[in-house]
Amino acid sequence: MSVPYRIAERVLPDRIGQRINRKKKIRFTFDRKTVPAFQGDTIASALLANGQRIISRSFKLHRPRGILSYGSNDPGSLISVGTGASRTPNTRATMTPVSNGMVSESQNNWPSLKKDWSRYFDRIKRFLPAGFYYKTFMKPMFLVPVYQRVLRLFAGTGTLLNNRDTASYEHYFLNVDVLVIGGGLSGLVVAEAASTSGAKVCLVDENGFLGGLSDIFDGQIENVTCLDWARKCVTRLAENPNVHLLPDTTATGMYDHGFVIACERCSGHSKNNDSVEERLWKIRALHTVLATGAIEQPLLFPNNDIPGIHLSSTIRAMIVRHAVAPGHRGVIYTTNDDGYKTALLMIDAGIEVIKIVDARLHAEGTLVDLVKANGILITFASTILEVITDKSNIHIQSVVTGALQGTSGITTKIDCDFISVSGSWAPVVHLWCNNGGKLEFDANSVCMRPVGTQNCMSIVGSANNVHRIENLLEESWDGGHAAAQHALGKRIRKPTPSFGISKSTKVTTSDTVGQIVRSKTTQEKDFSVFVDIHNDVTIADLKLACREGYASVEHMKRYTSLGMAPDQGKTSNLNAAVILANIQKCPVGEIGTTTYRPPYTPLRLGTIGGSQPEFKTRVFRQLPSIKWHKDNGAVLDNIGGWSRPLYYARQKIKRSIAITSEINAVRNHAGLFDASSLGKIEIKGPDSAKFLDLVYATKIDALPVGRALYGVLLNESGTLLDDGVISRLKTNLFVIYTTSGNSGLVLDHLERWHQTEWPDLRVFITSVTENYAHFSLSGPRTLEILKSLEGFDSNKLEISNYLDVWEDHFSDIDLRVLRVSYSGAYGVELSIPSNHATELWQALMHAGKELSIKPIGVEAMHTLRTEVGYIAMGIDTDTDTIPADVGLDWAVSDSKPDFIGKYGLVQDAHINAPRKKLVGILTKHENSVPEYGAPIFDRPHIEPGNVIGHVTSAFYSPTISRSISLALVSEKHIFEGAVVHISQSTGTTPANIRLSRFITKEQAGASPFRRDAGGQ
Amino acid sequence: MLQIKCPVCKIKGDETDFSYGGEAHIYKPGVTNGQPPNMARYLYIRSNPRGVQQENWRCSLGCNKWFTISRHTISQEILATYKLRETPHPNLSGKVKNI
C-alpha cells in the first residue's frame, strides 16, 4: 500500500521523522479502512500520511474538519477509539498514539464521513445564525421535547457508551516543594534550578516526550541544537532523585493553596505497562511554576476551516516528528517569522513552497534572506482572499491572494493543496487564571499576557510571553531558584546554571512576534470566516451577537457558543477578542477575556471517580444482630446510613402480607423491633441538666432520676431539628435518644453549642450509639414474654409507669429498660451492650415463641406509628416546620428563660404568616395509598397555584383495613372532614382531612393499666 | 482546596477533613430590658466581606474542636488560625496585599 504523504527515509534522516520507528510497522483502522503507520505515529499523523485529511464533521454545520494543530488544542480532530465496552468517544486524534489493531472511527456523521447527509446544512448556513435553534424551536411548548430529540441527532460529538466503562482508574496523591507544569525548555530549566537549590520537584507535561517544541525550533544553545540540549537536560533530571518526572500528564486545574489536579494517560505506553487507563494526580505543591508555553493562533479568511489548512508549527511538527508532509504544494500565510521557518523546513523536506503571503508591511532578517535565497516568492501586506476547494469541500485546489489594505484589486490565483497559517503565539494562561490571575493585552505581540503576582505561583517562559531563547532560559533559571526559595521558606544562594548560559553564549534564534490580521471581507464572506472551528462560529455570528446586544465577551460566548467547544477556545478566544474590538471600535484590552475554568482539557468521569472496586465504597452501618435478621429472611435496605430490615419474608411471602402480619402481631400479640440504629448520647457531668435545658426546648431540669420524657430539639430559627426521649439514669447522667439518621447531627449540634456558647458548663457529651443495642418489644403479650426472660425482674415492670426508666438484668448482663413505645401499643425498650445483642434478641424471640411474637421491620414500625399519629422527624417535618405545626407545642417550655430557638419561634414568619399543619388524611377509596410527597390540591384540577400541601407519610393500615396518611396542609384549608385532592399517577384522588386519631387506644393495644391512662 | 491547620491538635489537612461553620464571633443574644433580641439580625445578617473574614471551622476528622480562621475571601489566603475565645490578630488587613 502506498503512503503518499510520508517523506522518504533518505531525506534528512537525522532531522525528519524523529519520533517514528520505520522498522516497526503498525496497522490500525479508521472507519473500517486499514491504515498503515509506524510506531510513534499519532492517529492524526498516520491519517495525514495516508492522505486522509477529513477526520470529523463540525458541530453545527457538519463542515469537514481536519488537523489544525498538533496537540491538545486541536479543535477538530475528535474521534472515537476502541470497540465495544472499551470504546472511548471524543478522543483527540492528535494526542492518541497508534497501536497495532487499534480501531478508530469518525464521529458526528451519517452515513459516512465523506457523504454525511447533514453536510447540506452548510448550504443554508446563512439562515442558521447564532441562536437560531433557541429562537425558532420555542413554540408550542409541548413540542419542545420532540425538537430536542430530533435536533440532538444532528448536533454534538461522540456517542456515549451504553454499558459500564470497563477501564480502571486510580487516584494518586503527591506532596512536593515545587511543581513545574510544562516540560519544554523553560520547564526543564526551572526544574533543574529548583532541584539544584534543594527543593523536591515534580515536573508534569502533557506530552509523552519532554522538551516541548525544542524539536521544531531551529537555533542552538551551547553549539548544540535546542532538541539535543533539551534531551541532555531531561537525562540529568531523570537521574536526579529529587525530581519526579510525569510525562503524559496534563495539569487540568489549579485550585486554592497550591492544589493541582493532573491526569496521567497510562495506557498505550509500553513503558508504564500497567492496567490503569488514566491516573488522577492530586498534587499539593508549596510553589507552582507554570511553564505551559504558548499556542499558535490561526488566521481569519474565508473558508479558513477547510482540512489542509494547518498551523505553521503543526506542519513543522508533522515533518520533524512523523515525517509526514501535509501536501505537495503549499502556500504559507503568516504574520510573523514563524512562517519563514516552516518554509525553510519544507524546502529541506522536499515540499514545494509556492508563495509566502506575509501580512506585515515589511520584514527583514536572516530568515527572510534565506527564504529569498531559495527563490521563493514573498508578497508583503497581502492576504488570502478566498480558498477554492473541490466539490466535496475537503480538498484545497487553489487560493486567491490579494492586498490586505487599499483597493488595488489585483488578485492572484495560485494552485496549491495545503496552507500554513501563523498568527501570534498566545501564552497558555489557563492555570494562571484559574485562581484569579490577571491578564493584560499586549499589542506588540498580540496576545493576552499574564500580569501581577499570585501567592505560591509564578509563570515563566513563553507562557509569560518571553519568547527569545536566551531570555527565556535565564528567566526560567531565576524562576526555578525563586520557587525553591519560596517553597523552602529560606534564602538560598543562587546556584550556577549547569549549562553555563550567559549573555555571551551564542544563541541563534529570531523573534516570533505576530499580529492578528483579518482579510477585508464583504458581508457575504463573513459567513465563511470561522473563528471557532469546532462550533462553527463565524464573524457574521459575532456581528449578530453585537447587534443583538450580546457585545460583552461573556455574553457573546453564551450567545454564539464561541469558545465552548471541547477545546475551550484555545485557538479562537484571542481572535474573537480582536474581532469584537474591531466591531465595537475599542482597544482589544477593553474587551477582556472570558473566565478560565478548569479543566484545561476534558477529564473523563471515570478518572474523576477513581478506582471503583466491586464492593460499594460507601459502607453502611450494621446492626449488632444483623446476622440473625439476615438468617431470618429480613429484606434489608439502607436507611439513614444503616442497613436495616424493611420486613421479614421468611417463606418468600409477599411484601404486603409480611408487613400486615407483623403489624397484626404488635396489635394482637407481640412484636420485636431492632431499634439499635437510634442515636444514643450520654450526657454526663454536674451541669448536665442545665446544659440540656439550654439546648432542648422541653423543660428537663425537674426530671426525676428514673424517669424519661419526650423532648424536642430546635435550631436557633425555631424550626425542628430532632426529637427523642431523654432519660435520667442518675442525677448527673442522662441518655438522650435521637432519630436514627440524625445521630451525628445532634451530637455535632450539642458539641458545637457546648464548645462555642457554654464552654463553662461541666458536661461530657459521648455518643454510645454503637455501644448499645436497642430493642423495642411491644404488644399486649409484652409482660408475659418478659416474665420468662432469664434474670429479668418483671415485678419492676409490672409496677412501672409510662416513661419510667430503670436498670435490670438479662442473665447477668445489665439492661436499661425504658417504658416507651413508638407503636402505640403497651411496650418497653431494652438497651443492652452490643456484644450481647443477639443473645437477648434470641432469648426474647424464644420466650415469645408460644405467644406468637414476630420480628418487626421498619415498614411495619412506620405503619404502626402512623396509625397512632406519631411523627417521624425529617419525614413528617422539614426544615421549615416549627413544633406547633405538628402538634408538639406542648413540648416547648414557656417557663424557661432561654433555650436554643426560643426567640426564633416568635419570628414574624412563624407567628403571623399562614403555616402548614400536620393532619391525618383518609382517602375516599380505601385501598388507594398516596405516594410520599404527593402534592395536595384544594380542587380536582392539577394546577401549580392550587397546591395546599403535601403527603408526608402514607400506609395501608391493616388494623382498620384502609389507607391512612399524614400530610402537611395549609392551615386555612383544615377542618374536620374537609375534602382535598391528592395527586396520583393519573389525575387526583379525593380524600378527607381527619383531625382525630385513626385508631382507638384499645385497637392500638395500649397499656391495660389505669395508671398509664396518659400514655401507652 | 484550602489547606487548614487545626490550632488545637495541630493537624494539617485539606478542607474536606474539616467542616465549615459560617462567620465567627456571632454570639447568641439575650433579652435586654425585657425586649426579645433582634433575631433576624442574629440569624440572617452576615458581613460577607470582600476581604478578610473570621470564620468557624471544626476539626471534624481530628479532635472535633471548633476554632476560628481568618480567611481572605478573594485570595483564599489563611492569615491566622486561633482557638475559640482567643482574639484575632489586631490588624490582619494590613498583612494582605491589596487585591
Side-chain angles (χ1 to χ4, degrees):
Chain A
M1 195 184 286
S2 77
V3 181
Y5 295 96
R6 185 75 76 181
I7 298 165
E9 199 171 355
R10 63 191 145 71
V11 184
L12 295 175
D14 54 338
R15 261 188 82 194
I16 289 175
Q18 303 250 11
R19 298 241 175 117
I20 55 167
N21 182 352
R22 296 188 197 242
K23 291 192 182 72
K24 294 250 168 96
K25 291 194 171 129
I26 279 173
R27 277 170 194 278
F28 70 101
T29 65
F30 178 71
D31 279 351
R32 291 175 295 285
K33 235 167 44 193
T34 306
V35 182
F38 293 122
Q39 192 186 54
D41 264 324
T42 61
I43 291 183
S45 70
L47 290 177
L48 274 185
N50 287 277
Q52 174 77 37
R53 290 190 165 179
I54 170 172
I55 289 184
S56 71
R57 290 272 172 183
S58 67
F59 189 81
K60 181 169 133 191
L61 300 176
H62 287 247
R63 284 172 68 92
R65 290 289 173 258
I67 309 290
L68 179 74
S69 178
Y70 52 85
S72 68
N73 51 335
D74 186 76
S77 68
L78 293 183
I79 54 168
S80 84
V81 175
T83 49
S86 58
R87 183 174 65 88
T88 312
N90 301 337
T91 311
R92 274 196 173 74
T94 50
M95 293 294 284
T96 315
V98 293
S99 60
N100 237 337
M102 181 184 248
V103 176
S104 62
E105 268 173 5
S106 59
Q107 300 182 157
N108 201 25
N109 60 73
W110 189 87
S112 75
L113 188 55
K114 270 194 181 147
K115 295 260 155 73
D116 180 18
W117 284 20
S118 305
R119 70 184 188 274
Y120 295 109
F121 279 126
D122 189 35
R123 301 264 174 93
I124 53 163
K125 61 173 176 281
R126 293 201 57 169
F127 306 103
L128 301 173
F132 167 76
Y133 293 97
Y134 293 128
K135 287 173 182 168
T136 313
F137 298 98
M138 287 288 290
K139 281 181 178 172
M141 269 303 272
F142 71 91
L143 275 182
V144 168
V146 181
Y147 295 149
Q148 276 177 353
R149 240 174 296 151
V150 174
L151 294 176
R152 204 64 232 167
L153 297 176
F154 300 103
T157 45
T159 46
L160 278 176
L161 265 78
N162 286 327
N163 48 323
R164 195 192 148 119
D165 185 359
T166 50
S168 59
Y169 306 90
E170 64 187 10
H171 287 184
Y172 266 34
F173 294 83
L174 185 68
N175 280 283
V176 287
D177 298 331
V178 175
L179 172 68
V180 186
I181 298 173
L185 282 178
S186 170
L188 294 172
V189 173
V190 170
E192 185 145 39
S195 61
T196 316
S197 307
K200 197 179 137 203
V201 177
C202 173
L203 183 143
V204 303
D205 188 87
E206 185 166 49
N207 302 295
F209 292 82
L210 297 177
L213 299 184
S214 57
D215 52 350
I216 66 167
F217 276 90
D218 296 327
Q220 295 198 323
I221 307 168
E222 294 181 299
N223 299 324
V224 294
T225 62
C226 290
L227 177 63
D228 287 338
W229 192 87
R231 279 178 177 154
K232 277 200 288 181
C233 197
V234 172
T235 315
R236 282 198 301 272
L237 289 174
E239 285 163 359
N240 188 335
N242 265 338
V243 180
H244 188 150
L245 295 178
L246 278 174
D248 281 313
T249 305
T250 310
T252 58
M254 178 89 213
Y255 303 85
D256 303 324
H257 294 192
F259 188 66
V260 175
I261 295 285
C263 170
E264 182 183 1
R265 287 167 298 279
C266 311
S267 60
H269 300 285
S270 49
K271 59 175 190 267
N272 284 321
N273 199 25
D274 51 28
S275 60
V276 174
E277 181 101 357
E278 288 194 343
R279 183 176 290 135
L280 194 76
W281 288 84
K282 298 180 174 182
I283 307 172
R284 182 76 79 166
L286 296 175
H287 193 98
T288 304
V289 184
L290 302 178
T292 41
I295 294 175
E296 198 172 28
Q297 298 295 307
L299 289 163
L300 303 174
F301 49 88
N303 280 343
N304 61 338
D305 63 322
I306 303 295
I309 297 177
H310 310 277
L311 289 176
S312 166
S313 53
T314 304
I315 289 176
R316 294 214 298 281
M318 285 299 164
I319 296 172
V320 169
R321 294 176 180 173
H322 307 292
V324 171
H328 297 308
R329 295 192 317 280
V331 165
I332 289 172
Y333 181 22
T334 187
T335 62
N336 55 64
D337 281 355
D338 212 72
Y340 292 80
K341 291 177 195 164
T342 307
L344 290 173
L345 181 67
M346 277 162 61
I347 294 163
D348 289 348
I351 306 164
E352 201 180 337
V353 182
I354 312 282
K355 186 179 183 181
I356 293 183
V357 180
D358 194 329
R360 292 175 293 185
L361 293 175
H362 178 67
E364 55 188 27
T366 8
L367 280 170
V368 181
D369 295 342
L370 273 171
V371 168
K372 278 184 179 158
N374 275 289
I376 294 168
L377 182 64
I378 306 171
T379 54
F380 288 108
S382 54
T383 180
I384 291 179
L385 295 174
E386 183 65 80
V387 177
I388 297 159
T389 61
D390 66 349
K391 254 182 119 179
S392 68
N393 221 5
I394 296 171
H395 297 283
I396 298 170
Q397 288 178 329
S398 57
V399 295
V400 179
T401 65
L404 182 66
Q405 270 143 7
T407 49
S408 68
I410 302 164
T411 59
T412 321
K413 190 170 166 185
I414 319 159
D415 285 354
C416 67
D417 62 355
F418 74 95
I419 302 169
S420 149
V421 292
S422 176
S424 57
W425 283 84
V428 178
V429 291
H430 298 66
L431 297 176
W432 173 257
C433 295
N434 275 179
N435 260 356
K438 296 277 179 291
L439 298 177
E440 187 180 81
F441 183 72
D442 185 321
N444 279 329
S445 45
V446 198
C447 67
M448 299 287 179
R449 67 179 170 85
V451 286
T453 53
Q454 282 197 66
N455 287 335
C456 312
M457 203 196 316
S458 49
I459 186 162
V460 296
S462 46
N464 196 23
N465 209 24
V466 175
H467 295 291
R468 288 186 74 90
I469 289 187
E470 63 269 37
N471 298 348
L472 177 147
L473 294 180
E474 211 171 293
E475 189 214 17
S476 304
W477 186 265
D478 292 351
H481 169 249
Q485 272 200 143
H486 178 259
L488 302 175
K490 57 181 183 192
R491 291 194 70 82
I492 301 163
R493 212 171 64 84
K494 189 152 96 183
T496 327
S498 50
F499 44 84
I501 185 137
S502 65
K503 294 274 185 222
S504 58
T505 311
K506 190 173 167 278
V507 176
T508 55
T509 175
S510 60
D511 272 352
T512 54
V513 171
Q515 66 182 117
I516 298 267
V517 291
R518 178 164 76 85
S519 318
K520 275 182 307 173
T521 53
T522 56
Q523 206 139 0
E524 191 73 26
K525 293 277 172 63
D526 279 349
F527 287 100
S528 54
V529 182
F530 287 83
V531 187
D532 185 318
I533 286 180
H534 188 276
N535 274 3
D536 293 324
V537 181
T538 63
I539 290 185
D541 292 324
L542 294 186
K543 285 184 172 170
L544 178 75
C546 286
R547 275 205 307 280
E548 302 205 331
Y550 298 96
S552 136
V553 67
E554 295 280 13
H555 288 156
M556 178 278 296
K557 174 178 175 178
R558 272 77 187 172
Y559 191 69
T560 62
S561 80
L562 183 135
M564 286 172 147
D567 72 318
Q568 290 285 292
K570 293 188 183 75
T571 53
S572 60
N573 281 346
L574 183 61
N575 281 347
V578 175
I579 299 290
L580 274 183
N582 231 320
I583 298 171
Q584 297 173 28
K585 299 191 173 47
C586 68
V588 184
E590 280 177 25
I591 294 292
T593 58
T594 50
T595 309
Y596 290 88
R597 295 191 181 87
Y600 173 69
T601 52
L603 270 177
R604 292 193 208 182
L605 288 177
T607 313
I608 297 169
S611 61
Q612 297 287 325
E614 280 311 302
F615 58 87
K616 295 250 170 64
T617 42
R618 182 165 178 205
V619 180
F620 288 91
R621 298 206 273 181
Q622 301 294 320
L623 299 168
S625 39
I626 188 71
K627 191 173 177 301
W628 190 94
H629 301 309
K630 279 183 182 164
D631 292 346
N632 287 273
V635 176
L636 300 172
D637 197 11
N638 300 316
I639 305 164
W642 289 81
S643 186
R644 298 172 68 187
L646 279 181
Y647 57 94
Y648 298 81
R650 205 168 182 183
Q651 278 90 33
K652 299 215 183 307
I653 48 173
K654 267 174 66 185
R655 172 193 158 99
S656 57
I657 294 172
I659 294 170
T660 303
S661 74
E662 288 171 23
I663 294 164
N664 287 337
V666 173
R667 295 286 178 236
N668 303 319
H669 314 287
L672 186 57
F673 178 66
D674 191 341
S676 303
S677 60
L678 277 183
K680 298 172 273 291
I681 301 170
E682 283 189 0
I683 312 288
K684 274 183 197 169
D687 294 326
S688 302
K690 198 174 167 194
F691 175 68
L692 287 174
D693 249 346
L694 282 167
V695 289
Y696 272 87
T698 316
K699 190 156 175 57
I700 291 161
D701 197 17
L703 184 72
V705 172
R707 288 287 290 166
L709 57 76
Y710 174 83
V712 293
L713 197 60
L714 308 181
N715 59 29
E716 268 294 62
S717 57
T719 57
L720 283 163
L721 194 70
D722 200 42
D723 67 348
V725 171
I726 300 150
S727 67
R728 191 169 203 170
L729 291 177
K730 294 173 189 159
T731 315
N732 292 332
L733 172 61
F734 289 82
V735 179
I736 61 176
Y737 296 89
T738 76
T739 311
S740 301
N742 283 348
S743 56
L745 183 89
V746 172
L747 183 72
D748 293 346
H749 179 77
L750 300 184
E751 191 61 50
R752 178 174 194 176
W753 281 95
H754 178 225
Q755 282 184 33
T756 56
E757 200 70 38
W758 303 299
D760 304 332
L761 295 183
R762 290 159 298 167
V763 178
F764 284 107
I765 304 158
T766 316
S767 167
V768 291
T769 303
E770 285 86 357
N771 305 46
Y772 285 94
H774 196 78
F775 300 142
S776 164
L777 177 63
S778 58
R781 299 284 174 82
T782 299
L783 186 59
E784 285 171 73
I785 291 168
L786 287 174
K787 272 183 177 160
S788 55
L789 185 69
E790 187 196 342
F792 189 82
D793 182 3
S794 58
N795 291 330
K796 282 188 193 164
L797 176 59
E798 261 179 286
I799 57 160
S800 70
N801 291 311
Y802 183 60
L803 286 174
D804 271 356
V805 57
W806 68 95
E807 293 199 331
D808 208 322
H809 293 90
F810 159 59
S811 22
D812 52 354
I813 308 151
D814 287 340
L815 276 185
R816 287 176 181 173
V817 188
L818 194 56
R819 261 297 304 284
V820 294
S821 160
Y822 194 37
S823 63
Y826 174 77
V828 293
E829 292 190 351
L830 305 169
S831 272
I832 188 163
S834 293
N835 50 339
H836 298 294
T838 312
E839 289 167 53
L840 175 63
W841 182 277
Q842 281 173 332
L844 288 169
M845 289 305 291
H846 181 75
K849 204 174 174 188
E850 305 289 300
L851 301 165
S852 308
I853 192 173
K854 268 190 186 300
I856 304 296
V858 174
E859 288 279 351
M861 184 46 84
H862 272 297
T863 312
L864 288 162
R865 64 99 188 155
T866 306
E867 283 181 340
V868 290
Y870 288 170
I871 62 158
M873 276 293 150
I875 296 176
D876 298 304
T877 68
D878 53 41
T879 49
D880 191 38
T881 312
I882 58 172
D885 295 344
V886 290
L888 288 178
D889 35 350
W890 59 267
V892 178
S893 162
D894 294 329
S895 58
K896 288 202 285 187
D898 198 5
F899 58 83
I900 298 170
K902 182 174 170 82
Y903 297 106
L905 274 175
V906 294
Q907 290 179 90
D908 261 9
H910 294 157
I911 299 172
N912 298 328
R915 305 284 314 169
K916 281 183 180 173
K917 305 246 173 194
L918 193 75
V919 292
I921 297 274
L922 292 176
T923 49
K924 284 252 167 75
H925 308 287
E926 293 181 346
N927 290 328
S928 100
V929 180
E931 281 181 42
Y932 286 138
I936 298 174
F937 301 89
D938 60 349
R939 59 199 81 169
H941 321 293
I942 296 187
E943 270 178 45
N946 298 346
V947 178
I948 56 167
H950 63 275
V951 174
T952 57
S953 298
F955 298 95
Y956 183 81
S957 157
T959 316
I960 51 172
S961 304
R962 70 168 348 280
S963 112
I964 53 169
S965 322
L966 296 176
L968 280 168
V969 175
S970 184
E971 61 186 341
K972 65 174 179 184
H973 296 274
I974 298 174
F975 53 91
E976 179 73 43
V979 178
V980 294
H981 302 270
I982 302 172
S983 165
Q984 56 178 25
S985 52
T986 52
T988 57
T989 183
N992 291 104
I993 287 181
R994 165 93 165 206
L995 294 178
S996 46
R997 331 173 34 124
F998 290 122
I999 61 173
T1000 62
K1001 281 196 171 178
E1002 291 68 37
Q1003 283 173 312
S1007 167
F1009 307 114
R1010 171 167 282 202
R1011 62 172 182 278
D1012 286 339
Q1016 279 77 23
Chain B
M1 182 164 339
L2 305 182
Q3 204 169 32
I4 297 170
K5 188 174 177 186
C6 171
V8 183
C9 66
K10 316 284 184 207
I11 254 173
K12 196 172 172 182
D14 287 351
E15 69 184 57
T16 44
D17 300 336
F18 296 83
S19 0
Y20 181 62
E23 190 174 341
H25 307 304
I26 291 173
Y27 300 101
K28 190 171 160 63
V31 178
T32 42
N33 306 330
Q35 290 294 308
N38 182 346
M39 289 309 281
R41 188 173 183 78
Y42 162 58
L43 285 173
Y44 307 118
I45 309 296
R46 295 292 179 269
S47 58
N48 192 21
R50 182 191 166 89
V52 181
Q53 162 164 290
Q54 315 299 326
E55 56 195 26
N56 284 332
W57 285 78
R58 179 166 62 103
C59 185
S60 47
L61 296 187
C63 65
N64 207 19
K65 288 283 182 276
W66 286 90
F67 57 92
T68 312
I69 70 176
S70 310
R71 177 176 64 96
H72 195 285
T73 54
I74 305 297
S75 72
Q76 304 298 342
E77 205 179 338
I78 293 176
L79 301 150
T81 315
Y82 50 98
K83 295 179 194 169
L84 291 177
R85 279 166 300 283
E86 285 182 354
T87 43
H89 192 278
N91 185 17
L92 283 170
S93 311
K95 282 174 69 182
V96 190
K97 272 171 276 168
N98 210 11
I99 290 175

